[in-house]
């Protein structure tokens, strides 16, 4: 029962180390170090990273930027709620707002072009979850995060919300249409 | 002042009367909350099962908030307080320091849990256990949590006080036993945790009553996870201690090396509590270097610690079994283990489930970039049910089977049920979790009432595979709840209807004899591997880990380039 009793070696730091344990610790350590280097490696050589680019903002300031973009680049309206679909110029800054309970506005992007996608919330926290790709980031009010994205396949993508934000959380949905040039 | 002690004739454990009462009380309270949380879990999983979709949206979020808080905080922490008293007073044969404060701790925890519970029941506080600002809950929701935390903190100090008493009154010599050492680790992390909790919950409470105008939501997340993550380290330290204790109780196993096991516990203190960053990997404005430092340096050294315990616990069992003559082949020691004894089977399923399902997935999703394809999907509960349910909860259940005769002096009621319970509960939970992970990989969100998005302006359909996975989550969730119910029935049944054990075990005022030292380790070191079977199992674990790790990088590399 000795895990329940004081160790016979009075100074446990001197207890012997068994070969099985020693070998396993060495293997496990190497694996942990490997996993450690994988992250910086991917920052340099991998294509999917979030670099942490973000700015402080306020709902009012952010909302103004979104509206300016909607004003300038709306190409059509969809659904009976007349949700604007915005086609910003290739390479430009794109502003997406999460709010109770919608992603605003809908976007139309060109395949193969790179955009700076800004995301923020106008009220509570939300979860940007792009389907069916399954890319997920946290959306926090007061912070404007910038993801530089290059959609590489055309098609219809859906943004759902995966941070709980109230009773209609499940109905919060937006769209990104990726079109060929 | 005369102190009353009794010696349990079966186990040789010595109980100080006030400690015994408090251990019983905290453990029973824990089990009652487990039952309530389990009923809520059933409602949650029956709602996420698309073909059943039981509750309304509002009710679902309310019930889910209750499930998270009651399970993760109330059930687990009440039981941990019982473990702390057991590991100090009982294992060290010492009187419990300041039983009155321990009663106060109990009252605060119970009162706090009740207040938060009422807030959730009233409906205005369906904010999930994370209660991210600025989504508001009723002030008494936070107040209850604060009181609960203060109570738990007092419990931690009673534990520390008891260690001091034991040392001063020389109830043992040398160092404290390994299991008590593990409990001490848990206690130290708990104190840190509660401090973080106070730093964030007190201002949040003041905000909810209007004294503070704003709480920065990102700061909230960083500090909240300082508490939320490290509280999981408490659980890990506690359940690893329970594994060691059960290996000793069932097999008489001695730790392979005190030095290795204790150092591994110390690594938890040094590193795991820093790893909170892996909850905010895809948050805005958190620097990359910090994330990498936090997830790799800090988390991986703690992962290393768990990998070490994962080897040394079964290794100790293997050594003990081989000494008893089960030396044929690699695995006779394991085949001949008492699989019909729920104390052992519960512990072993806990160990395997925690390592293979909880551990591997935790590291994978805690990798900075991979988190992009997992964050907030139902993969996340698919990861932590193996850690807190298979790992912590099942380990505590296994220990309870040992405590019923020893502490409550009752034979197990329905021993046949007890024998099967760890398998039903383990199997149900493991499969439920696996299917949640599968569905999460396909994009299904956590904390989400309707995967068909009724009422949304646009439409989006998950594929048939995602629906099937959520259906299977539902089915195995029900199996898991049945396993949980079997536990509650066996334990409550034993306390009420179990045959009284009439062994002679009277309270006396004589001080118990000083705790003897553990037996010295025999000198078999240096003659090759003492636990080859365990080593093979560890290599299987590593191979699974490596394959799964790269699989996820592969998934990641297939999504849109972004940075
Ligand atoms: C008894 C069987 C159980 C079942 C069937 C079950 C089922 C579930 C399901 C399906 C979810 C995810 C819901 C969602 O995100 O939409 C969930 C969440 C959760 N469960 Fe369980 N669970 C069980 C036991 C436990 C236990 C024993 C614990 C803790 C020790 C636990 C802790 C949690 C926590 C903390 C959450 C997250 C709540 C949140 O997102 O705020 N569960 N459970
Ligand atoms: Cu939302
Ligand atoms: Cu939401």
């Amino acid at each position: 029962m000795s895990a329940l009793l004081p160790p016979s070696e009075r100074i446990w730091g001197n207890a012997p180390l068994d070969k099985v344990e020693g070998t396993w610790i060495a293997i496990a350590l190497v694996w942990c170090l490997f996993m450690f280097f994988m992250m910086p490696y991917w920052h340099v050589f991998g294509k999917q990273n979030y670099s942490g680019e973000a700015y402080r903002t306020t709902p009012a300031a952010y909302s103004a930027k979104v509206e300016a973009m909607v004003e300038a680049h709306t190409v059509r309206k969809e659904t009976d709620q007349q949700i604007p679909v915005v086609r910003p110029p290739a390479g430009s800054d794109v502003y997406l707002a999460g709010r109770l309970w919608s992603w605003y506005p809908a976007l139309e992007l060109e395949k193969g072009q790179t955009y700076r996608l800004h995301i923020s919330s106008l009220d509570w926290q939300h979860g940007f979850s792009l389907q069916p790709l399954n890319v997920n980031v946290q959306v926090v009010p007061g912070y404007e995060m910038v993801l530089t994205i290059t959609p590489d396949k055309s098609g219809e993508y859906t943004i759902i919300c995966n941070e709980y934000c109230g009773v209609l959380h499940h109905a919060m949905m937006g769209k990104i249409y990726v079109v060929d040039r | 002042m005369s102190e009353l002690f009794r010696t349990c004739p079966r186990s040789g454990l010595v109980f100080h009367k006030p400690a015994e009462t408090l251990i019983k009380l905290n453990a029973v309270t824990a089990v009652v909350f487990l039952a309530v949380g389990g009923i809520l879990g059933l409602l949650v999983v029956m709602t996420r099962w698309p073909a059943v979709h039981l509750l309304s949206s509002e009710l679902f979020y309310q019930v889910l908030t209750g499930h998270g808080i009651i399970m993760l905080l109330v059930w687990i922490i009440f039981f941990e307080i019982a473990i702390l008293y057991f590991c100090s007073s009982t294992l060290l044969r010492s009187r419990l320091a300041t039983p009155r404060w321990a009663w106060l701790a109990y009252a605060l925890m119970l009162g706090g849990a009740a207040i938060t519970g009422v807030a959730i029941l009233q409906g205005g506080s369906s904010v999930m256990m994370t209660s991210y600002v600025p989504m508001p809950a009723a002030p008494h929701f936070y107040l209850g949590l604060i009181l609960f935390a203060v109570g738990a903190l007092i419990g931690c100090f009673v534990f520390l006080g008891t260690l001091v008493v034991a040392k001063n009154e020389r109830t043992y010599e040398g160092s404290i036993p390994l299991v008590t050492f593990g409990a001490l680790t848990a206690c130290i992390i708990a104190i840190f945790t509660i401090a973080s909790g106070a730093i964030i919950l007190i201002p949040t409470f003041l905000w909810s009553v209007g004294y503070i105008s704003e709480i920065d939501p990102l700061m909230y997340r960083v500090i909240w996870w300082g508490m939320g993550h490290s509280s999981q380290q408490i659980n890990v330290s506690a359940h690893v201690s329970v594994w060691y204790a059960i290996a000793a109780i069932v097999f008489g196993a001695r730790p392979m090396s005190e030095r290795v096991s204790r150092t591994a516990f110390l690594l938890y203190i040094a590193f795991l509590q820093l790893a909170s960053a892996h909850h905010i990997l895809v948050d805005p404005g958190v620097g990359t270097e910090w994330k990498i430092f936090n997830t790799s340096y800090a988390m991986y050294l703690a992962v290393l610690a768990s990998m070490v315990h994962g080897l040394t616990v079964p290794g100790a069992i293997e050594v003990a079994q081989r000494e008893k003559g089960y030396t044929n082949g690699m695995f006779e020691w394991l085949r001949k283990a008492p699989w019909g004894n729920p104390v052992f089977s519960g512990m072993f399923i806990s160990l395997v489930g925690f390592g293979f399902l909880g551990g591997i997935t935790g590291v994978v999703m805690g990798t900075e970039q991979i988190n992009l394809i997992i964050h907030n999907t139902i993969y996340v509960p698919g990861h932590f049910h193996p850690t807190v349910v298979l790992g912590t909860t099942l380990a505590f259940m296994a220990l309870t089977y040992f405590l019923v005769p020893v502490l409550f002096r009752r034979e197990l009621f329905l021993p046949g049920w007890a024998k099967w319970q760890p398998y039903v509960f383990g199997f149900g939970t493991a499969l439920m979790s696996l299917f949640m992970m599968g569905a999460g990989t396909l994009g299904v969100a956590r904390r989400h009432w309707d995967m068909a998005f009724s009422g949304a302006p646009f439409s989006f359909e998950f594929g048939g595979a995602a629906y099937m996975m959520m259906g299977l989550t539902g089915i195995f969730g029900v199996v898991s709840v049945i396993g949980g119910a079997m536990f509650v029935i066996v334990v409550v049944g034993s306390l009420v209807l179990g045959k009284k054990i009439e062994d002679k075990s009277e309270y006396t005022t004589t001080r118990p004899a000083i705790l003897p030292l553990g037996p010295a380790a025999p000198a078999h070191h240096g003659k090759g591997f003492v636990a080859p079977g365990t080593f093979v199992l560890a290599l299987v674990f590593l191979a699974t880990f490596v394959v799964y790790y790269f699989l996820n990088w592969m998934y990641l590399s297939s999504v849109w380039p972004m940075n």
Side-chain angles (χ1 to χ4, degrees):
Chain A
M1 303 265 282
S2 70
L4 304 180
L5 296 175
S8 56
E9 306 90 353
R10 276 168 181 272
I11 302 180
W12 55 265
N14 297 339
L17 174 73
D18 184 76
K19 252 195 209 156
V20 187
E21 287 177 306
T23 316
W24 177 246
I25 292 171
I27 296 175
L29 188 64
V30 168
W31 173 238
C32 289
L33 286 174
F34 176 85
M35 292 193 297
F36 167 67
F37 285 113
M38 205 51 204
M39 289 189 282
Y41 167 84
W42 199 265
H43 268 283
V44 180
F45 298 102
K47 292 214 179 89
Q48 294 81 11
N49 288 292
Y50 167 55
S51 59
E53 184 180 353
Y55 305 93
R56 294 300 305 248
T57 182
T58 61
Y62 191 75
S63 178
K65 289 190 199 170
V66 176
E67 283 311 331
M69 179 191 74
V70 169
E71 208 68 359
H73 302 294
T74 298
V75 288
R76 60 176 186 277
K77 301 216 165 155
E78 282 188 350
T79 79
D80 41 2
Q81 296 176 21
Q82 296 291 306
I83 299 171
V85 179
V86 174
R87 183 165 183 160
S92 68
D93 285 88
V94 182
Y95 298 89
L96 177 72
R99 57 187 193 190
L100 301 173
W101 285 282
S102 63
W103 291 106
Y104 178 84
L107 303 171
E108 190 167 281
L109 307 179
E110 274 177 26
K111 176 182 153 185
Q113 296 291 346
T114 299
Y115 297 85
R116 284 168 53 78
L117 176 63
H118 299 237
I119 313 174
S120 188
S121 162
L122 303 184
D123 36 56
W124 294 345
Q125 299 194 24
H126 297 284
F128 171 95
S129 175
L130 189 65
Q131 300 300 336
L133 276 186
N134 201 17
V135 168
N136 308 282
V137 296
Q138 188 77 22
V139 182
V140 181
Y143 292 83
E144 173 177 347
M145 113 193 282
V146 185
L147 273 180
T148 307
I149 56 168
T150 315
D152 59 1
K153 272 186 217 74
S154 52
E156 180 180 327
Y157 294 87
T158 304
I159 312 167
I160 63 175
C161 178
N162 70 4
E163 181 55 80
Y164 168 66
C165 56
V167 277
L168 288 181
H169 161 57
H170 62 274
M172 180 165 166
M173 190 183 278
K175 286 281 172 186
I176 298 183
Y177 302 101
V178 177
V179 295
D180 293 312
R181 238 191 281 199
Chain B
M1 196 171 61
S2 64
E3 301 282 350
L4 292 176
F5 288 91
R6 82 172 170 91
T7 303
C8 164
R10 284 199 184 184
S11 60
L13 292 171
V14 176
F15 292 99
H16 175 223
K17 196 167 185 207
E20 184 182 13
T21 313
L22 281 155
I23 296 170
K24 283 181 181 172
L25 188 65
N26 280 283
V28 169
T29 309
V31 172
V32 171
F33 278 105
L34 176 68
V36 177
I39 294 168
L40 300 182
L42 180 66
L43 297 174
V44 167
V45 87
M46 298 269 278
T47 306
R48 300 255 19 194
W49 182 350
V52 180
H53 210 216
L54 186 67
L55 303 177
S56 68
S57 148
E58 212 161 330
L59 211 52
F60 170 74
Y61 294 123
Q62 191 178 354
V63 166
L64 183 55
T65 305
H67 173 71
I69 286 184
I70 289 181
M71 287 301 206
L72 200 61
L73 293 178
V74 189
W75 138 248
I76 288 195
I77 296 180
F78 267 114
F79 202 89
E80 278 166 352
I81 294 289
I83 289 183
L84 286 185
Y85 297 163
F86 178 81
C87 288
S88 53
S89 169
T90 308
L91 290 186
L92 296 180
R93 298 188 178 174
S94 166
R95 66 184 172 86
L96 188 75
T98 61
R100 289 221 176 118
W101 283 92
W103 278 98
L104 177 66
Y106 177 80
L108 281 172
M109 286 170 65
L110 192 62
I115 292 173
T116 299
V118 167
I120 297 172
L121 274 178
Q122 287 169 333
S125 301
S126 303
V127 293
M128 306 291 142
M129 49 143 198
T130 42
S131 55
Y132 290 140
V133 299
M135 181 189 278
H140 52 299
F141 174 86
Y142 308 107
L143 186 66
L145 293 180
I146 293 168
L147 291 178
F148 184 83
V150 172
L153 189 62
I154 294 175
C156 288
F157 283 113
V158 171
F159 167 81
L160 292 178
T162 307
L163 294 191
V164 173
V165 167
K167 177 120 210 138
N168 288 345
E169 299 182 359
R170 310 191 104 270
T171 67
Y172 67 96
E173 49 183 330
S175 316
I176 54 176
L178 178 61
V179 172
T180 308
F181 190 86
L184 175 61
T185 314
C187 174
I188 292 170
I189 301 174
I191 291 170
F192 168 85
T193 299
I194 294 171
S196 292
I199 292 173
I200 198 62
L201 283 176
I202 293 174
T204 307
F205 168 69
L206 294 175
W207 165 76
S208 73
V209 293
Y211 279 119
I212 293 181
S213 65
E214 198 192 336
I215 296 210
D216 183 90
L218 189 61
M219 183 196 77
Y220 179 94
R221 287 174 62 80
V222 173
I223 302 177
W224 196 92
W225 281 112
M227 162 182 78
H229 180 80
S230 37
S231 66
Q232 300 322 302
Q233 297 345 301
I234 309 174
N235 300 342
V236 175
S237 305
H239 76 229
V240 171
S241 304
V242 170
W243 294 346
Y244 279 112
I246 289 179
I249 290 164
V250 176
F251 298 96
R254 109 177 47 77
M256 296 180 77
S257 151
E258 294 275 353
R259 172 156 57 125
V260 170
S261 300
R262 286 174 198 241
T263 310
F265 273 122
L266 291 179
L267 283 181
Y268 282 146
I269 302 186
F271 298 107
L272 255 180
Q273 40 113 329
L274 288 169
S276 58
H278 66 237
H279 296 270
I280 46 176
L281 288 176
V282 292
D283 276 31
V286 181
T288 299
E289 293 75 18
W290 187 66
K291 286 177 188 167
I292 292 187
F293 165 79
N294 231 288
T295 48
S296 54
Y297 176 59
M299 185 167 89
Y300 292 156
L301 286 177
V303 168
L304 182 68
S306 289
M307 287 173 79
V308 170
H309 290 307
L311 176 94
T312 57
V313 174
I317 294 176
E318 178 171 356
V319 172
Q321 288 281 78
R322 284 182 185 274
E323 278 167 10
K324 285 188 201 118
Y326 297 116
T327 50
N328 286 331
M330 280 289 178
F331 296 117
E332 192 192 18
W333 63 274
L334 191 57
R335 274 200 317 275
K336 296 280 170 67
W339 292 100
N341 175 357
V343 181
F344 167 72
S345 64
M347 171 262 163
F348 206 81
I349 296 170
S350 161
L351 182 117
V352 172
F354 178 75
F356 276 84
L357 295 178
I360 294 180
T361 58
V363 175
V364 167
M365 66 185 220
T367 305
E368 193 201 347
Q369 293 93 345
I370 292 179
N371 192 253
L372 275 171
I373 56 173
I374 291 180
H375 183 71
N376 271 356
T377 65
I378 198 152
Y379 188 104
V380 177
H383 146 72
F384 66 67
H385 281 77
T387 63
V388 292
V389 187
L390 284 181
T392 311
T393 301
L394 189 50
F396 290 179
M397 288 173 166
L399 183 68
T400 307
Y401 290 126
F402 165 75
L403 289 180
V404 165
V406 170
L407 183 62
F408 293 91
R409 294 198 254 177
R410 298 273 189 165
E411 296 293 357
L412 281 184
F413 171 71
L414 298 177
W417 283 35
K419 185 171 159 185
W420 284 103
Q421 187 274 334
Y423 296 95
V424 177
F425 188 65
F427 175 78
T429 310
L431 283 169
M432 170 180 85
S433 306
L434 275 171
F435 287 116
M436 283 203 258
M437 291 177 206
T441 308
L442 297 172
V444 179
R446 77 183 282 198
R447 300 176 165 175
H448 198 278
W449 176 66
D450 187 8
M451 69 186 284
F453 310 98
S454 53
F458 300 102
S459 67
F460 173 69
E461 288 265 333
F462 278 113
Y467 275 93
M468 193 187 72
M469 301 258 195
M470 290 309 290
L472 290 166
T473 297
I475 292 170
F476 289 106
V478 172
V479 175
S480 164
V481 171
I482 292 173
M486 286 165 74
F487 171 78
V488 174
I489 291 169
V490 169
V491 171
V492 176
S494 305
L495 301 197
V496 182
L497 305 169
K499 193 165 145 278
K500 281 211 176 81
I501 296 176
E502 305 291 356
D503 295 347
K504 249 185 146 28
S505 177
E506 264 136 37
Y507 294 100
T508 65
T509 49
T510 2
R511 278 295 167 112
I514 186 167
L515 192 64
L517 289 182
H524 52 40
H525 292 280
K527 281 185 276 165
F529 280 10
V530 287
T534 302
F535 193 71
V536 170
L537 293 179
L539 291 180
V540 171
F541 171 79
L542 186 72
T544 316
F545 199 161
V546 173
V547 169
Y548 189 68
Y549 183 72
F550 283 109
L551 206 62
N552 276 277
W553 282 107
M554 219 176 73
Y555 287 146
L556 176 71
S557 66
S558 70
V559 309
W560 289 354
M562 67 187 76
N563 64 53

